[in-house]
Amino acid sequence: MTTDSTLLNSEMEIEEQGDLYQQLLAQSLGNMQTANPDSKVIRPQPGICVKTTAEAGKKKVFVNICQSNLVPPPPEISKEKLLDLLQLEDPSGYRVPMSLGEPHTELDNNSQGCTAYDVVINQEFFQKCQKDSLFQQFVIMVSLEGLENKYNIELSREWKVLKNRKFLGSVSEQNIRTKSKPVIQELQPQENSTSEAKRPEFTLFVEPPSGVPEYLIAEINLPGVLSSRALVLDIGEDRLVLTARPSLYFLDIFHPFLVDQETSVAQFNSSTQILTITLPVVSS
């Protein structure tokens, strides 16, 4: 019995190409993490699958809310405080860190095409949401809002948590940040330095006014400040801290966006005594 050497060689080439592909994939992932040591490729664990529809065309949309201990947890909050927060018109003061994945096309139970999104939250917080329906509804609402803001879509608030399915499709890896840039450098203030300072009037707005925001702009009125040399500004991912020396003004605010600190720009107009800060929005 003879063996067709050409067939054998082709099979060996396919195996070698597969091995080479895996090596290149591993190398590229390694290079990604080496190039950006503050990020990590993770494979989240399935959690719950939420079924809803896109308002445009009423097409089915599935949101896979996954869990990973590499996503930081949100601040601790009681059920009572969460209820109070939900009564506010703008509950954005409480933020849930999450990773929003790219949309992927899947088939539903009827073999019909649909769109699925993967959202990853902290594992402990996910378990807390599983034990309390209020927290679960809250994290679903936050996930839908996050997807709407990132992808400029509108999702129905009539959702359904699937009982017998934890995930639609296959779990894919996501690249998340594991280490935040230094948000604010903690300095030991001089005694009574900030207590004597006044909180300045300021305005926050986004550009463009509708749709997905590209820039967050802060205009801060600083009457009495004659030069930018009197200002100390710290820009965090979601925080602004401004000090006007000597003890004239002090402002410390959080905003509901993640911004690019490195490309943010601040300009002080000495005529109007207004500080304008332009912050490119990474996500909201």
Side-chain angles (χ1 to χ4, degrees), residues 66-69 71-74 97 120-127:
C66 312
Q67 50 186 319
S68 172
N69 56 12
V71 176
V120 189
I121 63 174
N122 175 263
Q123 193 166 33
E124 289 187 12
F125 186 66
F126 175 82
Q127 297 300 329

Side-chain angles (χ1 to χ4, degrees), residues 233-252:
L233 176 65
D234 285 313
I235 298 176
E237 287 184 321
D238 59 353
R239 186 180 182 186
L240 280 177
V241 178
L242 173 68
T243 304
R245 299 174 296 188
S247 302
L248 271 178
Y249 298 101
F250 180 75
L251 181 65
D252 186 353

Side-chain angles (χ1 to χ4, degrees), residues 13 174 187 222 226 251 273:
E13 288 177 1
Q174 289 198 31
L187 302 176
L222 300 170
L226 303 179
L251 181 65
Q273 297 178 335

Side-chain angles (χ1 to χ4, degrees), residues 114-161:
C114 60
T115 303
Y117 297 88
D118 303 340
V119 177
V120 189
I121 63 174
N122 175 263
Q123 193 166 33
E124 289 187 12
F125 186 66
F126 175 82
Q127 297 300 329
K128 183 176 184 178
C129 295
Q130 289 295 90
K131 298 175 183 176
D132 193 305
S133 59
L134 177 66
F135 278 88
Q136 186 183 81
Q137 292 176 17
F138 173 71
V139 81
I140 293 174
M141 179 184 69
V142 171
S143 299
L144 295 180
E145 290 179 354
L147 292 171
E148 287 178 329
N149 291 332
K150 183 173 183 179
Y151 295 110
N152 195 24
I153 57 176
E154 187 176 353
L155 300 174
S156 171
R157 291 305 185 266
E158 294 182 5
W159 69 69
K160 177 183 179 182
V161 178

